[in-house]
Amino acid sequence: DLGGHDTYMHKEISEQADAVDRALRGRIDDRFSTVHLGGLNLDAREARGVRRVKILGCGTSYHAGQIGAQMIEELARIPSDAEPASEFRYRDPVVDPDTLYVAVSQSGETYDVLAAVQELKRKGARVLGLVNVVGSAIARETDGGIYVHAGPEVCVVSTKCFTNMVVSFALLALHLGRIRDLSVADGKRIIDGLRKLPGQIDEILKGEEEIKKLSAAYADAKSMMFIGRVRGYPVAREASLKLKEVSYIHAEAYPASELKHGPLALIEPAMPTVAIVPDDDLLEKNRAALEEIKARSGRILAVAHQEQEKADHTIIVPKNEPELDPILMGIPLQLLAYHTALALGRDIDKPRNLAKSVTVE
Ligand code: M6R
């Protein structure tokens, strides 16, 4: 049931405030400034013993994992990283008993992720799932985990599930952080930020008309560059994947810091750049990257907390806590991908060559 929307992608983008609300419901513990994650199956003693976190997923879920790894590293101070499950399982990885593995998947059926989980279990590792579909294969194979509660996602292109995955990683990071060394004050700060998310998502979605106009200005591009730095980089990667999948426009994502090491050669008026520019301690560095692009006559669309002078257009998003900003900054770019694809007459819910869940190798 499309409920008045013309596509599932549009419906699912529009449902994100409710979806995030569902992910938070019943989990926040104000008394101890933490969250309860019922099915995690990891007691405080085990949580304190974790020396590394390794997150495995594919596509959009891998990008959610990249943001999740940064959140866990920042809030729980555990070295963390994400890797495509499809690569991990073929490189004979060292499986370490002090590493907590997290498999992330919307469908819970992606073969490469499932096979990575089975290989890890065979070697005696502890694997948690961060999954949307209840009772799916990955949910069953893992030792415990978090359901992301995004609700059914029909469009092949993932939107609301990505957002809920990132929110779920924030919950995991907060939970691990509060068991370890995250202060009560910081725990409270993150909880307050989480509670603001649904209202802020609605605020972003109200800007749809403006984003639709912008997409008309960029739909003629043959190729687009997406840049971000640290927290903004996985946001740029996910936005670039979204645009590719649904509009078939070629897109590249780079850390803003890597521009001068090669991709700057691509910048010219026909290659617009989408830049993620949060108001954090890297703002000046990001602005310097915008200047470099402008000096090569590149068009710039910034997603930022305040107007960016060097950008041709700025989409302003509301500010949250810096650790949670990535959750919000990708949302206008889901709409950008959607409206670009619509303007180009693409088959939005079923892009060519793609399947909703990839259950083969
Ligand atoms: O069901 P999963 O989250 O495991 O799926 C992983 C990827 O196949 C999926 O995210 C894919 O990249 C989507 N088409 C993204 O829009």
Side-chain angles (χ1 to χ4, degrees):
D1 176 19
L2 282 166
H5 296 270
D6 56 354
T7 57
Y8 280 104
M9 183 178 183
H10 193 267
K11 176 173 186 265
E12 288 157 7
I13 290 174
S14 311
E15 287 170 346
Q16 291 180 103
D18 282 348
V20 168
D21 194 54
R22 246 190 335 268
L24 300 179
R25 207 172 299 154
R27 286 171 162 172
I28 292 175
D29 173 353
D30 286 303
R31 192 160 157 238
F32 291 104
S33 297
T34 188
V35 284
H36 290 301
L37 298 168
L40 206 57
N41 201 14
L42 185 81
D43 65 29
R45 202 191 160 86
E46 290 165 326
R48 291 201 63 87
V50 173
R51 294 279 158 268
R52 294 196 77 84
V53 175
K54 171 67 113 182
I55 300 167
L56 300 166
C58 294
T60 287
S61 299
Y62 160 55
H63 296 151
Q66 285 193 302
I67 300 176
Q70 287 190 25
M71 286 172 162
I72 294 169
E73 192 146 329
E74 283 191 277
L75 296 175
R77 305 307 296 154
I78 308 172
S80 306
D81 76 326
E83 186 177 336
S86 45
E87 285 284 290
F88 177 83
R89 54 183 286 246
Y90 288 115
R91 65 171 180 81
D92 203 10
V94 174
V95 173
D96 167 23
D98 298 330
T99 297
L100 177 66
Y101 295 87
V102 183
V104 49
S105 175
Q106 187 288 126
S107 60
E109 305 291 342
T110 300
Y111 186 79
D112 279 320
V113 185
L114 181 62
V117 170
Q118 287 166 338
E119 173 73 353
L120 283 166
K121 299 270 333 194
R122 196 182 61 77
K123 292 181 172 168
R126 157 85 69 157
V127 194
L128 300 182
L130 200 134
V131 172
N132 192 41
V133 177
V134 176
S136 55
I138 294 166
R140 291 195 311 268
E141 287 275 348
T142 42
D143 300 300
I146 307 174
Y147 279 122
V148 306
H149 295 311
E153 193 179 64
V154 177
C155 179
V156 165
V157 168
S158 182
T159 53
K160 66 171 177 173
C161 195
F162 170 77
T163 301
N164 267 37
M165 282 172 176
V166 181
V167 169
S168 303
F169 273 119
L171 299 178
L172 179 61
L174 174 59
H175 175 78
L176 292 174
R178 288 289 297 123
I179 288 173
R180 296 164 72 109
D181 299 318
L182 189 74
S183 69
V184 173
D186 275 329
K188 186 173 177 322
R189 179 175 67 78
I190 297 298
I191 287 175
D192 291 346
L194 288 167
R195 284 206 170 102
K196 277 191 215 149
L197 288 171
Q200 291 180 319
I201 291 173
D202 275 338
E203 217 177 297
I204 294 170
L205 296 178
K206 281 197 195 117
E208 181 169 357
E209 272 311 305
E210 187 207 342
I211 297 169
K212 186 175 172 181
K213 282 189 208 132
L214 285 175
S215 63
Y218 290 91
D220 64 336
K222 291 276 163 292
S223 183
M224 282 175 82
M225 180 72 82
F226 286 76
I227 58 168
R229 215 176 264 266
V230 189
R231 295 186 192 109
Y233 174 51
V235 176
R237 292 192 64 173
E238 171 55 13
S240 125
L241 177 64
K242 217 84 300 173
L243 185 77
K244 275 190 273 241
E245 284 188 295
V246 80
S247 76
Y248 315 152
I249 293 177
H250 171 253
E252 298 247 10
Y254 268 95
S257 52
E258 280 286 303
L259 268 184
K260 53 177 149 330
H261 300 292
L264 208 49
L266 293 170
I267 300 298
E268 48 145 352
M271 173 86 157
T273 299
V274 174
I276 312 297
V277 191
D279 226 351
D280 59 13
D281 43 9
L282 296 171
L283 181 61
E284 288 316 312
K285 297 249 174 230
N286 280 322
R287 282 191 170 144
L290 300 191
E291 253 168 66
E292 303 223 23
I293 294 165
K294 218 55 251 168
R296 275 106 191 150
S297 310
R299 279 191 290 163
I300 301 172
L301 169 59
V303 178
H305 293 130
Q306 49 174 303
E307 202 69 35
Q308 293 305 309
E309 199 196 307
K310 292 286 165 198
D312 298 272
H313 303 101
T314 308
I315 299 173
I316 310 246
V317 295
K319 214 170 159 175
N320 197 300
E321 295 305 321
E323 297 91 334
L324 302 181
D325 282 332
I327 301 170
L328 296 169
M329 301 201 85
I331 292 176
L333 298 174
Q334 298 173 344
L335 284 171
L336 185 82
Y338 170 80
H339 281 290
T340 306
L342 198 66
L344 296 171
R346 305 302 192 217
D347 188 357
I348 290 181
D349 284 338
K350 289 195 175 67
R352 65 185 183 200
N353 311 338
L354 301 179
K356 181 65 180 162
S357 68
V358 184
T359 51
V360 291
E361 271 185 273

